[in-house]
Amino acid sequence: MERIERKAYTDHILSLLGKGEVVVLTGHRRAGKSCILECLADLLKENGNVMYVDMENPDYADIDSYVQLNEWIKVHIVQGRHNYLLIDEVQEIASFEKVLRYWVKQPNMDIVVTGSNAMMLSSDIASVFAGRYLRVHIQSLNYSEFLKFHKLSASPEALASYLRWGGLPFLCNIPAEDIRTRTDYLGSIYDTIFVKDIINRKQVRNVAFIDNLARFVADNSGKLFSASSIAKYLKNGESSVSSNTVADYMETLCATYMIDRVQRYDIHGKRLFEQQEKYYYEDLGIRNYLCRDKRQPDMEKVLENAVYIKLLNMGYTVYVGQLGGKEIDFVARRGDEVAYYQVSLQISNTETYEREYGNLKHIKDNYPKYVITMDPMAQLVNDDGIITLQASEFLL
């Protein structure tokens, strides 16, 4: 199978080496972490001794605790050369952090590991590392990468395919016309996340409810809601589910990196709200799989989710903007940079135009303001400093 380098990630990881920190690659299952680690190993071979541990390979089944890992490293390390320790799915090794904490302090040693769930970033692990780790979050393919992997040129059809199937890299090996196999693949990834990262690892008891919760979030991505409002809407048969339980389950879903929580930001008061948030899926394909029984896909929600993914890919921290009673879809912050985004499938009618542009016009600072749309009739002009972009252009 052809392996395609995602150069933006490998270049970024290479820039983090040599700093005495463990580089941790996170992201949901099958987002491409393993492939990126393999590409990194190939790039590093010319510079030193690469020690690669693949915990999904039975050849490494004996390395199930930090003791065995430590012995393996001592056998494979090469004195007098720079050593690179790369471990795929490191969370399968019990107490792995004890070994990584020791070896990352040794001269001529860099460590890069991947993991599929949030135990990698828990406060316990952070304290054990004493801050000696750097996180690189791996997302599914963005639209540009999707075109490269699927050997497509930018077109309305290619964009529609991306918005439908999302960016799991393996999908490029399944023909576009084989809808059933593609759907089954997305279902298998969701089932794996659900069983391994949620049910087994988090010991969830109310399986049916958390499955319904994941589907509810998919169908309501981009909507503001609280744990109490979800609890009222999703009643588990005859019994009620408390808002605290819903909040715990939402934490569990977010811990898999399948779903992201986006907080509300008071643009005028420059503060975060503590209640009511939005949730978005990190991969459009998984999101759409959970909504596959709907008669018509809600493209407004899909497009908004796609813009959110793109903003993350651009390195922004993303919030939902609040300005009095008006909502701004996204406030994107990156260092000292700030930008505001509205997303609307159509903006040709007067009511929609006034809402999307009017909300942005109420923001009195001079940071960039954008409206992202798929409306072919939209005039891509600068309206009072607000820039209109076609989604196909923005996502590229």
Side-chain angles (χ1 to χ4, degrees), residues 130-146:
R132 303 195 69 158
Y133 74 98
L134 299 169
R135 174 180 178 241
V136 178
H137 188 65
I138 308 300
Q139 297 175 251
S140 296
L141 304 178
N142 59 36
Y143 182 41
S144 297
E145 292 173 323
F146 176 87

Side-chain angles (χ1 to χ4, degrees), residues 305-347:
N305 204 142
V307 171
Y308 168 75
I309 293 170
K310 176 62 177 178
L311 290 172
L312 287 187
N313 188 253
M314 294 166 68
Y316 285 108
T317 300
V318 183
Y319 305 97
V320 176
Q322 196 76 33
L323 188 63
K326 301 183 184 300
E327 182 181 299
I328 306 300
D329 288 331
F330 298 120
V331 178
R333 303 183 67 92
R334 183 174 58 193
D336 294 332
E337 298 177 45
V338 178
Y340 304 103
Y341 291 86
Q342 292 284 70
V343 184
S344 182
L345 196 64
Q346 303 289 332
I347 57 173

Side-chain angles (χ1 to χ4, degrees), residues 28-34 56 89 140 167-170 185 189:
H28 64 76
R29 290 182 181 271
R30 302 308 175 210
K33 300 184 299 298
S34 298
E56 292 188 336
E89 301 292 350
S140 296
L168 293 182
F170 185 79
Y185 176 72
I189 301 304

Side-chain angles (χ1 to χ4, degrees), residues 210-380:
I210 199 167
D211 181 47
N212 287 336
L213 182 58
R215 297 173 190 275
F216 173 84
V217 173
D219 191 37
N220 291 275
S221 58
K223 288 187 176 180
L224 286 171
F225 45 73
S226 62
S228 59
S229 64
I230 299 174
K232 291 177 182 177
Y233 184 83
L234 287 178
K235 292 185 177 180
N236 188 23
E238 298 295 327
S239 61
S240 62
V241 178
S242 71
S243 57
N244 286 339
T245 299
V246 171
D248 288 342
Y249 283 170
M250 288 305 305
E251 288 290 337
T252 298
L253 288 171
C254 292
T256 66
Y257 302 111
M258 181 172 63
I259 296 173
D260 288 350
R261 174 189 291 106
V262 181
Q263 291 181 280
R264 284 191 302 150
Y265 177 77
D266 182 353
I267 295 173
H268 179 71
K270 310 297 183 185
R271 63 186 179 89
L272 292 174
F273 291 101
E274 296 182 358
Q275 294 184 336
Q276 290 200 317
E277 299 140 331
K278 288 187 178 184
Y279 293 86
Y280 295 95
Y281 272 72
E282 285 210 9
D283 182 77
L284 295 173
I286 294 176
R287 183 263 171 205
N288 294 338
Y289 169 79
L290 295 176
C291 297
R292 66 193 183 282
D293 294 332
K294 300 292 180 180
R295 288 188 176 183
Q296 295 292 332
D298 193 331
M299 286 303 299
E300 187 89 31
K301 296 175 184 175
V302 174
L303 179 60
E304 187 174 323
N305 204 142
V307 171
Y308 168 75
I309 293 170
K310 176 62 177 178
L311 290 172
L312 287 187
N313 188 253
M314 294 166 68
Y316 285 108
T317 300
V318 183
Y319 305 97
V320 176
Q322 196 76 33
L323 188 63
K326 301 183 184 300
E327 182 181 299
I328 306 300
D329 288 331
F330 298 120
V331 178
R333 303 183 67 92
R334 183 174 58 193
D336 294 332
E337 298 177 45
V338 178
Y340 304 103
Y341 291 86
Q342 292 284 70
V343 184
S344 182
L345 196 64
Q346 303 289 332
I347 57 173
S348 295
N349 71 74
T350 303
E351 181 182 350
T352 303
Y353 188 94
E354 290 180 352
R355 180 182 69 245
E356 303 299 343
Y357 288 82
N359 287 4
L360 289 172
K361 289 177 181 179
H362 279 83
I363 304 173
K364 299 307 180 183
D365 60 42
N366 294 317
Y367 292 120
K369 303 173 181 66
Y370 300 92
V371 173
I372 312 299
T373 184
M374 292 183 69
D375 192 335
M377 303 302 293
Q379 297 296 314
L380 305 186

